[in-house]
């Protein structure tokens, strides 16, 4: 039976790293998936800022489960050479902070182009990232998200199969629901490739809600995973209950979220409590 190790995108609690670490301590969470650090994206941190972050993490006993990078979240016709330089910086940051996992995406398509005609270029650009990742000893983990090449379960599977195990899966059941796919069907297709999970819950109508309050079948999927005999695995809480203003535009839906919070700290706290109840 696999143990699930709780991590979190703690930048959804606060922008400052010290505040993030204090919050994780108070929630009894020992890991973060690093994304936002003192108002900067992790991919833009200087070497000095990474070392400063490392000291802060050590002071509070927090470890990094993964780097929540924006790699692969550009259009294929943007500057992919500069993107590789960003990747190198991200991989060096991961090495310094002691994590092997890098969350990535599979690129937005150029205007007017379909997935099939872009498949070759997507695979070429991912291959460049994978070669660089191997040189740095890190593992790239693809997250399913709206509008990228690997939005659907089938396209995710296609990429994972194409790279023969070099590319892993970050399974986000909430994103599958938001994009109109059945999360259990997606899990059954992708389960052999799952490296870790992102935990958010959502409704097909478009709302993101606390874990266990939506249609993402989080408990059922995690129960199946635990019973599969897999290794111990991180589950990263990514609640998006208050801080994600671009969701409507991303998923193309308008909704009235039934869960409202006075600030992001209250929202994040409720997200942690609901997930612990679910687990």
């Amino acid at each position: 039976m696999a143990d699930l190790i709780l991590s979190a995108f703690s930048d959804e609690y606060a922008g400052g790293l010290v505040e993030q670490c204090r919050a994780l301590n108070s929630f009894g969470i020992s890991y973060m998936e690093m994304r936002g650090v003192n108002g900067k994206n992790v991919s833009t941190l200087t070497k000095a800022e990474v070392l400063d972050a490392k000291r802060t993490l050590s002071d509070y006993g927090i470890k990094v489960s993964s780097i929540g990078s924006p790699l692969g979240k550009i259009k294929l016709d943007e500057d992919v050479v500069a993107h590789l330089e960003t990747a190198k910086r991200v991989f060096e940051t991961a090495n310094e902070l002691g994590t092997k996992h890098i969350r990535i995406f599979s690129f937005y398509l150029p205007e007017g182009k379909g997935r099939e005609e872009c498949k070759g270029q997507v695979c070429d650009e991912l291959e460049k990232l994978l070669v660089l990742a191997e040189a740095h000893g890190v593992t790239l983990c693809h997250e399913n998200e709206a509008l990228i090449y690997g939005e659907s379960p089938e396209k995710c599977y296609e990429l994972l199969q194409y790279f023969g195990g070099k590319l892993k899966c970050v399974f986000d059941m909430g994103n599958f629901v938001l994009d109109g796919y059945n999360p259990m069907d997606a899990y059954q297709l992708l389960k052999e490739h799952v490296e870790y999970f992102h935990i958010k819950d959502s409704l097909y109508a478009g709302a993101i809600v606390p874990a266990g309050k939506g249609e993402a079948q989080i408990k059922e999927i995690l129960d199946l995973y635990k019973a599969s005999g897999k290794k111990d695995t991180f589950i990263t809480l990514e609640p998006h209950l208050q801080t994600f203003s671009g969701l409507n535009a991303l998923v193309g839906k308008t909704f009235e979220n039934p869960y409202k919070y006075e600030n992001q700290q209250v929202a994040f706290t409720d997200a942690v409590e609901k997930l612990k109840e679910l687990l």
Side-chain angles (χ1 to χ4, degrees), residues 41 97 122 168 171 233:
N41 186 275
L97 297 178
V122 167
K168 303 296 185 181
F171 191 91
T233 300

Side-chain angles (χ1 to χ4, degrees), residues 29 81 90 129 142 145 150 170 181 210 212 235-236 253 273-274:
I29 300 173
V81 175
V90 168
L129 289 172
H142 175 269
E145 186 167 286
V170 183
Y181 304 103
I235 57 171
T236 299
K253 298 174 182 177
E273 291 173 351
K274 293 292 193 301

Side-chain angles (χ1 to χ4, degrees), residues 127-241:
E127 178 69 34
K128 293 173 188 175
L129 289 172
L130 284 163
V131 169
L132 190 61
E134 186 175 10
H136 286 81
V138 295
T139 301
L140 302 189
C141 305
H142 175 269
E143 179 182 356
N144 54 287
E145 186 167 286
L147 304 180
I148 62 171
Y149 184 88
E151 173 189 281
S152 71
E154 292 74 21
K155 287 301 180 187
C156 290
Y157 184 75
E158 175 187 278
L159 292 174
L160 297 165
Q161 288 288 99
Y162 180 87
F163 290 108
K166 289 192 295 182
L167 181 65
K168 303 296 185 181
C169 170
V170 183
F171 191 91
D172 191 317
M173 54 280 276
N175 280 355
F176 278 129
V177 169
L178 289 171
D179 299 332
Y181 304 103
N182 182 290
M184 183 60 75
D185 291 346
Y187 174 72
Q188 294 294 352
L189 180 63
L190 302 173
K191 60 185 178 183
E192 297 305 320
H193 300 276
V194 172
E195 187 72 7
Y196 71 99
F197 293 88
H198 279 174
I199 303 298
K200 73 167 68 73
D201 209 342
S202 52
L203 304 171
Y204 285 107
I208 294 179
V209 296
K213 305 302 179 182
E215 297 171 289
Q217 302 180 68
I218 294 172
K219 186 177 188 304
E220 293 82 356
I221 289 170
L222 293 182
D223 283 347
L224 282 177
Y225 185 85
K226 286 192 293 183
S228 69
K230 296 282 187 73
K231 62 183 179 180
D232 296 344
T233 300
F234 286 109
I235 57 171
T236 299
L237 179 63
E238 188 184 20
H240 277 349
L241 293 178

Side-chain angles (χ1 to χ4, degrees), residues 80-100:
V80 291
V81 175
H83 203 57
L84 278 177
E85 286 301 311
T86 300
K88 182 181 177 184
R89 178 189 293 179
V90 168
F91 301 162
E92 290 171 348
T93 295
N95 287 165
E96 189 64 54
L97 297 178
T99 183
K100 298 293 185 185

